[in-house]
Amino acid sequence: MTQPFPFSAIVGQTEMKRAMTLTAIDPSIGGVLVFGDRGTGKSTAVRALAGLLPPIKAVDGCPYNSPDLASCPDPSLIKSKKITNRQTPVVDLPLGVTEDRVVGALDIEKALTQGLKQFEPGLLARAHRGYLYIDEVNLLEDHIVDLLLDVAVSGENVVEREGLSIRHPAKFVLVGSGNPEEGELRPQLLDRFGLSVEVSSPTDIAARIDVIKRRDAYENDTAAFLKKWRAQDTKLRKRILSARDHLPSVKTPDAILGECANLCVTLGSDGLRGELTLLRAARALAALNGEASVTTTHLREIAPSALRHRLRRDPLDEAGSTTRVERVVNEVLA
């Protein structure tokens, strides 16, 4: 299987790459929604993320990515008691996927051939401790959206059907991409994404030429291209690991909490998820930069990504959501 395009080799799209990097540092930020034109590298960036993320420790053969034997929901599936390094899972959730494929179901083959009633884990089990990626997320069927909302809130998947009663952890970072021309996202699912990013086709000729050159080099000699960018990806991976270690020690002054709350109140965002996401993302950004505490500068950088998708519609304001956030940021954090 061809290795994904290197994350560091993606031209431009700074906000999108930063958002994905921050969720790798602190998964509690809540995932990334990427909306924009077709052919702007949305799915390329997500698949590149798989090669960038540090490995996780998991029990050999456990389909739930359990970190130890005690936490595995079904020990009968374990091949050995060995703990191995496993690539952080990045699981695709395709459009038209069935409910059984998502949550898991009775293993029909074993039931018919061996007479065993055994649970076959679904995509939610595979995505545990990793990423669940949904391309064209705004076209996802409503009943699948409802399933994802339930699991995203509880952090576990509960299956009660066909005589089975299964409960297993399902904590993952949700990443969605889509084209706004093809429809809007349901508000309930939109709210579950921590960060929202808008991407567009580059208008700079030099940047477009650079994109063409890199993609062409990747397709014509993949091995050489991967080797060329391996050092950059390794450097970024080390920064992510260092930021994870540094994150718990990053201080958050009360003044910063006040600025978070003031921004959200002035923008009129619903609930308190906006403040929490803004704080977590700013703290992860400080950790990525190796800084000791969160500052107003961090809030300024991350506010559009954390808040643009949480605004109420204002029929009297024709400005886009990003412009509205930037305007309030300049007022509140002057």
Side-chain angles (χ1 to χ4, degrees):
M1 187 175 75
T2 304
Q3 294 188 50
F5 193 87
F7 192 84
S8 301
I10 297 173
V11 178
Q13 308 300 9
T14 303
E15 187 184 14
M16 175 175 66
K17 292 192 289 185
R18 181 180 61 196
M20 292 183 181
T21 302
L22 295 182
T23 61
I25 295 169
D26 184 3
S28 69
I29 289 171
V32 183
L33 176 65
V34 185
F35 259 123
D37 303 334
R38 292 180 292 272
T40 49
K42 300 186 296 294
S43 55
T44 297
V46 177
R47 302 188 202 294
L49 189 66
L52 175 70
L53 295 170
I56 60 174
K57 292 189 179 297
V59 179
D60 184 31
C62 179
Y64 301 92
N65 299 315
S66 302
D68 51 58
L69 291 169
S71 61
C72 182
D74 190 353
S76 66
L77 298 174
I78 296 176
K79 298 177 182 178
S80 71
K81 297 181 180 180
K82 185 179 179 182
I83 305 296
T84 61
N85 284 329
R86 183 181 298 182
Q87 187 177 31
T88 299
V90 179
V91 177
D92 280 0
L93 194 150
L95 290 178
V97 67
T98 63
E99 183 176 332
D100 286 352
R101 185 76 185 96
V102 175
V103 301
L106 179 69
D107 190 327
I108 300 298
E109 183 179 351
K110 287 189 176 180
L112 294 176
T113 59
Q114 303 175 33
L116 296 176
K117 185 184 289 186
Q118 186 166 314
F119 179 69
E120 183 177 8
L123 296 177
L124 295 181
R126 289 177 50 202
H128 179 50
R129 302 176 65 202
Y131 286 72
L132 185 66
Y133 173 53
I134 312 169
D135 195 11
E136 306 295 349
V137 63
N138 45 332
L139 302 180
L140 200 63
E141 296 181 19
D142 285 347
H143 71 284
I144 301 297
V145 171
D146 293 335
L147 284 173
L148 292 177
L149 288 173
D150 288 342
V151 176
V153 171
S154 65
E156 65 178 6
N157 179 36
V158 181
V159 182
E160 300 279 355
R161 60 173 63 179
E162 298 160 343
L164 294 171
S165 180
I166 302 293
R167 183 185 298 266
H168 68 80
K171 296 180 180 179
F172 47 80
V173 176
L174 194 60
V175 178
S177 65
N179 184 346
E181 295 177 356
E182 296 173 344
E184 296 184 349
L185 200 61
R186 278 179 56 182
Q188 297 93 329
L189 185 57
L190 181 65
D191 190 51
R192 297 310 308 179
F193 288 96
L195 303 176
S196 173
V197 178
E198 296 174 351
V199 296
S200 59
S201 303
T203 55
D204 180 67
I205 298 298
R208 296 178 77 103
I209 291 174
D210 209 9
V211 171
I212 297 170
K213 283 184 175 179
R214 293 186 190 184
R215 190 69 202 188
D216 188 55
Y218 168 73
E219 292 175 353
N220 287 332
D221 193 344
T222 304
F225 188 79
L226 294 175
K227 183 179 180 180
K228 177 181 177 181
W229 287 95
R230 187 172 298 131
Q232 292 291 335
D233 269 8
T234 301
K235 182 179 178 180
L236 182 53
R237 187 183 300 114
K238 289 179 178 179
R239 283 189 70 194
I240 291 173
L241 287 170
S242 177
R244 285 181 178 179
D245 293 335
H246 180 48
L247 185 65
S249 64
V250 175
K251 294 180 173 56
T252 308
D254 287 346
I256 294 297
L257 299 179
E259 289 178 341
C260 288
N262 198 1
L263 273 176
C264 293
V265 169
T266 306
L267 281 166
S269 62
D270 293 323
L272 294 173
R273 193 168 282 127
E275 282 97 327
L276 291 171
T277 303
L278 182 58
L279 172 62
R280 289 166 181 161
R283 192 158 50 201
L285 182 59
L288 181 65
N289 295 337
E291 298 175 46
S293 63
V294 180
T295 66
T296 302
T297 301
H298 300 132
L299 295 185
R300 280 182 171 276
E301 287 187 44
I302 209 66
S305 299
L307 300 176
R308 64 162 58 94
H309 59 304
R310 305 183 191 281
L311 305 187
R312 299 173 185 171
R313 292 183 182 276
D314 185 354
L316 301 179
D317 192 342
E318 296 182 357
S321 58
T322 302
T323 302
R324 288 172 60 191
V325 172
E326 290 175 346
R327 188 170 60 205
V328 170
V329 166
N330 289 330
E331 293 173 1
V332 174
L333 305 181

